[in-house]
Amino acid sequence: MGRSSGFIAMHASLASGQIDICLIPEVPFHLHGPHGVLRHLKYLIETKGSAVVCVAEGAGQNFVEQTNARDASGNTVLGDIGVHLQQETKKYFKEIGVPADVKYIDPTYMIRACRANASDGILCTVLGQNAVHGAFAGYSGITVGICNTHYIYFPIPEVISYPRAVDPNSRMWHRCLTSTGQPDFV
């Protein structure tokens, strides 16, 4: 999840409060070197004894092999950055002689299979009700969303007119950086 934007990874990192490093496609990073992710992981292991990394699917695609293959929807099949990070992390800690137990969890199906909390359940119900009301009112080509605490109809062509991406200069991304305590990895 997060093939072209890091909203899910960023929000999950903020919501959990347990993430030490959040990597998203919009923000480039280095794995190796004095400002690399692996050096920061070493620091975290030395100071905290553990570290949790959250990585969006599209992050770090420059580190993995590109196949130019397409999925059934016509999207480019991305390299598996999670597996790559796991392997590079194990290799790095072995090379520097620091014992590290590296676990990799791909939460794709866990996220989709968990029950919605009460707020999400209510939100989905109200969005669904508004979608039905819109259809009965004769609207088509619309989706329902929230704007300034009001449920409104958005024209789908307007919604998809450009891809949404996390702004690396936004307050939300800076909140995430503050929450994780991660440095700039370039």
PDB file of all heavy atoms in Angstrom, residues 160-175:
ATOM      1  N   ILE A 160     -10.164  13.164  -9.501  1.00  0.00           N
ATOM      2  CA  ILE A 160      -9.061  12.415 -10.113  1.00  0.00           C
ATOM      3  C   ILE A 160      -8.258  13.243 -11.111  1.00  0.00           C
ATOM      4  O   ILE A 160      -7.423  12.707 -11.835  1.00  0.00           O
ATOM      5  CB  ILE A 160      -9.577  11.130 -10.789  1.00  0.00           C
ATOM      6  CG1 ILE A 160     -10.514  11.453 -11.953  1.00  0.00           C
ATOM      7  CG2 ILE A 160     -10.245  10.219  -9.770  1.00  0.00           C
ATOM      8  CD1 ILE A 160     -10.878  10.251 -12.810  1.00  0.00           C
ATOM      9  N   SER A 161      -8.465  14.545 -11.140  1.00  0.00           N
ATOM     10  CA  SER A 161      -7.789  15.391 -12.127  1.00  0.00           C
ATOM     11  C   SER A 161      -6.268  15.431 -11.936  1.00  0.00           C
ATOM     12  O   SER A 161      -5.535  15.712 -12.868  1.00  0.00           O
ATOM     13  CB  SER A 161      -8.362  16.802 -12.121  1.00  0.00           C
ATOM     14  OG  SER A 161      -8.121  17.431 -10.878  1.00  0.00           O
ATOM     15  N   TYR A 162      -5.797  15.178 -10.750  1.00  0.00           N
ATOM     16  CA  TYR A 162      -4.358  15.104 -10.510  1.00  0.00           C
ATOM     17  C   TYR A 162      -4.108  14.154  -9.340  1.00  0.00           C
ATOM     18  O   TYR A 162      -4.953  14.001  -8.462  1.00  0.00           O
ATOM     19  CB  TYR A 162      -3.768  16.496 -10.212  1.00  0.00           C
ATOM     20  CG  TYR A 162      -4.257  17.124  -8.931  1.00  0.00           C
ATOM     21  CD1 TYR A 162      -3.547  16.963  -7.749  1.00  0.00           C
ATOM     22  CD2 TYR A 162      -5.435  17.862  -8.895  1.00  0.00           C
ATOM     23  CE1 TYR A 162      -3.996  17.527  -6.572  1.00  0.00           C
ATOM     24  CE2 TYR A 162      -5.890  18.432  -7.722  1.00  0.00           C
ATOM     25  CZ  TYR A 162      -5.159  18.266  -6.560  1.00  0.00           C
ATOM     26  OH  TYR A 162      -5.598  18.806  -5.388  1.00  0.00           O
ATOM     27  N   PRO A 163      -2.952  13.508  -9.334  1.00  0.00           N
ATOM     28  CA  PRO A 163      -2.658  12.578  -8.232  1.00  0.00           C
ATOM     29  C   PRO A 163      -2.337  13.331  -6.944  1.00  0.00           C
ATOM     30  O   PRO A 163      -1.669  14.362  -6.974  1.00  0.00           O
ATOM     31  CB  PRO A 163      -1.440  11.806  -8.731  1.00  0.00           C
ATOM     32  CG  PRO A 163      -0.849  12.635  -9.811  1.00  0.00           C
ATOM     33  CD  PRO A 163      -1.937  13.503 -10.360  1.00  0.00           C
ATOM     34  N   ARG A 164      -2.827  12.823  -5.838  1.00  0.00           N
ATOM     35  CA  ARG A 164      -2.518  13.408  -4.533  1.00  0.00           C
ATOM     36  C   ARG A 164      -1.198  12.826  -4.040  1.00  0.00           C
ATOM     37  O   ARG A 164      -0.910  11.654  -4.235  1.00  0.00           O
ATOM     38  CB  ARG A 164      -3.612  13.076  -3.522  1.00  0.00           C
ATOM     39  CG  ARG A 164      -4.887  13.851  -3.759  1.00  0.00           C
ATOM     40  CD  ARG A 164      -5.891  13.640  -2.647  1.00  0.00           C
ATOM     41  NE  ARG A 164      -5.359  14.140  -1.380  1.00  0.00           N
ATOM     42  CZ  ARG A 164      -5.586  13.571  -0.200  1.00  0.00           C
ATOM     43  NH1 ARG A 164      -6.338  12.521  -0.115  1.00  0.00           N
ATOM     44  NH2 ARG A 164      -5.085  14.080   0.894  1.00  0.00           N
ATOM     45  N   ALA A 165      -0.428  13.652  -3.402  1.00  0.00           N
ATOM     46  CA  ALA A 165       0.851  13.222  -2.843  1.00  0.00           C
ATOM     47  C   ALA A 165       1.083  13.965  -1.535  1.00  0.00           C
ATOM     48  O   ALA A 165       0.576  15.071  -1.339  1.00  0.00           O
ATOM     49  CB  ALA A 165       1.982  13.511  -3.827  1.00  0.00           C
ATOM     50  N   VAL A 166       1.851  13.344  -0.657  1.00  0.00           N
ATOM     51  CA  VAL A 166       2.219  13.999   0.590  1.00  0.00           C
ATOM     52  C   VAL A 166       3.177  15.135   0.252  1.00  0.00           C
ATOM     53  O   VAL A 166       4.160  14.945  -0.471  1.00  0.00           O
ATOM     54  CB  VAL A 166       2.903  13.011   1.563  1.00  0.00           C
ATOM     55  CG1 VAL A 166       3.451  13.737   2.787  1.00  0.00           C
ATOM     56  CG2 VAL A 166       1.948  11.908   1.977  1.00  0.00           C
ATOM     57  N   ASP A 167       2.899  16.309   0.754  1.00  0.00           N
ATOM     58  CA  ASP A 167       3.786  17.454   0.570  1.00  0.00           C
ATOM     59  C   ASP A 167       4.874  17.373   1.644  1.00  0.00           C
ATOM     60  O   ASP A 167       4.573  17.471   2.839  1.00  0.00           O
ATOM     61  CB  ASP A 167       2.998  18.758   0.704  1.00  0.00           C
ATOM     62  CG  ASP A 167       3.853  20.002   0.579  1.00  0.00           C
ATOM     63  OD1 ASP A 167       5.095  19.895   0.434  1.00  0.00           O
ATOM     64  OD2 ASP A 167       3.272  21.102   0.634  1.00  0.00           O
ATOM     65  N   PRO A 168       6.140  17.170   1.244  1.00  0.00           N
ATOM     66  CA  PRO A 168       7.214  17.068   2.242  1.00  0.00           C
ATOM     67  C   PRO A 168       7.397  18.330   3.076  1.00  0.00           C
ATOM     68  O   PRO A 168       8.091  18.293   4.083  1.00  0.00           O
ATOM     69  CB  PRO A 168       8.469  16.800   1.397  1.00  0.00           C
ATOM     70  CG  PRO A 168       7.968  16.306   0.094  1.00  0.00           C
ATOM     71  CD  PRO A 168       6.617  16.936  -0.112  1.00  0.00           C
ATOM     72  N   ASN A 169       6.772  19.426   2.684  1.00  0.00           N
ATOM     73  CA  ASN A 169       6.850  20.662   3.468  1.00  0.00           C
ATOM     74  C   ASN A 169       5.581  20.915   4.279  1.00  0.00           C
ATOM     75  O   ASN A 169       5.438  21.974   4.880  1.00  0.00           O
ATOM     76  CB  ASN A 169       7.111  21.858   2.538  1.00  0.00           C
ATOM     77  CG  ASN A 169       8.456  21.746   1.869  1.00  0.00           C
ATOM     78  OD1 ASN A 169       9.463  21.486   2.523  1.00  0.00           O
ATOM     79  ND2 ASN A 169       8.479  21.900   0.565  1.00  0.00           N
ATOM     80  N   SER A 170       4.668  19.943   4.267  1.00  0.00           N
ATOM     81  CA  SER A 170       3.388  20.134   4.959  1.00  0.00           C
ATOM     82  C   SER A 170       3.541  19.972   6.467  1.00  0.00           C
ATOM     83  O   SER A 170       4.474  19.340   6.966  1.00  0.00           O
ATOM     84  CB  SER A 170       2.353  19.129   4.444  1.00  0.00           C
ATOM     85  OG  SER A 170       2.704  17.810   4.850  1.00  0.00           O
ATOM     86  N   ARG A 171       2.579  20.509   7.184  1.00  0.00           N
ATOM     87  CA  ARG A 171       2.561  20.367   8.643  1.00  0.00           C
ATOM     88  C   ARG A 171       2.394  18.908   9.044  1.00  0.00           C
ATOM     89  O   ARG A 171       2.980  18.466  10.034  1.00  0.00           O
ATOM     90  CB  ARG A 171       1.424  21.209   9.240  1.00  0.00           C
ATOM     91  CG  ARG A 171       1.703  22.707   9.115  1.00  0.00           C
ATOM     92  CD  ARG A 171       0.638  23.525   9.785  1.00  0.00           C
ATOM     93  NE  ARG A 171       0.771  23.382  11.240  1.00  0.00           N
ATOM     94  CZ  ARG A 171      -0.130  23.799  12.100  1.00  0.00           C
ATOM     95  NH1 ARG A 171      -1.222  24.391  11.682  1.00  0.00           N
ATOM     96  NH2 ARG A 171       0.058  23.648  13.384  1.00  0.00           N
ATOM     97  N   MET A 172       1.588  18.160   8.268  1.00  0.00           N
ATOM     98  CA  MET A 172       1.351  16.761   8.629  1.00  0.00           C
ATOM     99  C   MET A 172       2.640  15.941   8.521  1.00  0.00           C
ATOM    100  O   MET A 172       2.934  15.129   9.397  1.00  0.00           O
ATOM    101  CB  MET A 172       0.250  16.165   7.749  1.00  0.00           C
ATOM    102  CG  MET A 172      -0.237  14.820   8.241  1.00  0.00           C
ATOM    103  SD  MET A 172      -0.945  14.853   9.896  1.00  0.00           S
ATOM    104  CE  MET A 172      -2.562  15.449   9.544  1.00  0.00           C
ATOM    105  N   TRP A 173       3.411  16.133   7.452  1.00  0.00           N
ATOM    106  CA  TRP A 173       4.672  15.396   7.323  1.00  0.00           C
ATOM    107  C   TRP A 173       5.637  15.813   8.431  1.00  0.00           C
ATOM    108  O   TRP A 173       6.327  14.980   9.015  1.00  0.00           O
ATOM    109  CB  TRP A 173       5.298  15.591   5.942  1.00  0.00           C
ATOM    110  CG  TRP A 173       6.615  14.885   5.825  1.00  0.00           C
ATOM    111  CD1 TRP A 173       7.833  15.453   5.641  1.00  0.00           C
ATOM    112  CD2 TRP A 173       6.847  13.472   5.926  1.00  0.00           C
ATOM    113  NE1 TRP A 173       8.807  14.484   5.613  1.00  0.00           N
ATOM    114  CE2 TRP A 173       8.237  13.261   5.793  1.00  0.00           C
ATOM    115  CE3 TRP A 173       6.028  12.366   6.126  1.00  0.00           C
ATOM    116  CZ2 TRP A 173       8.819  11.990   5.835  1.00  0.00           C
ATOM    117  CZ3 TRP A 173       6.600  11.102   6.178  1.00  0.00           C
ATOM    118  CH2 TRP A 173       7.973  10.917   6.031  1.00  0.00           C
ATOM    119  N   HIS A 174       5.657  17.096   8.768  1.00  0.00           N
ATOM    120  CA  HIS A 174       6.531  17.550   9.848  1.00  0.00           C
ATOM    121  C   HIS A 174       6.074  16.993  11.199  1.00  0.00           C
ATOM    122  O   HIS A 174       6.905  16.710  12.064  1.00  0.00           O
ATOM    123  CB  HIS A 174       6.651  19.073   9.858  1.00  0.00           C
ATOM    124  CG  HIS A 174       7.520  19.564   8.740  1.00  0.00           C
ATOM    125  ND1 HIS A 174       8.888  19.591   8.807  1.00  0.00           N
ATOM    126  CD2 HIS A 174       7.196  20.003   7.499  1.00  0.00           C
ATOM    127  CE1 HIS A 174       9.386  20.034   7.671  1.00  0.00           C
ATOM    128  NE2 HIS A 174       8.377  20.287   6.853  1.00  0.00           N
ATOM    129  N   ARG A 175       4.775  16.806  11.375  1.00  0.00           N
ATOM    130  CA  ARG A 175       4.274  16.130  12.583  1.00  0.00           C
ATOM    131  C   ARG A 175       4.817  14.706  12.638  1.00  0.00           C
ATOM    132  O   ARG A 175       5.202  14.207  13.696  1.00  0.00           O
ATOM    133  CB  ARG A 175       2.747  16.091  12.590  1.00  0.00           C
ATOM    134  CG  ARG A 175       2.086  17.368  12.973  1.00  0.00           C
ATOM    135  CD  ARG A 175       0.554  17.190  13.044  1.00  0.00           C
ATOM    136  NE  ARG A 175      -0.074  18.470  13.239  1.00  0.00           N
ATOM    137  CZ  ARG A 175      -0.749  19.142  12.315  1.00  0.00           C
ATOM    138  NH1 ARG A 175      -0.923  18.604  11.110  1.00  0.00           N
ATOM    139  NH2 ARG A 175      -1.283  20.301  12.583  1.00  0.00           N
TER     140      ARG A 175
END
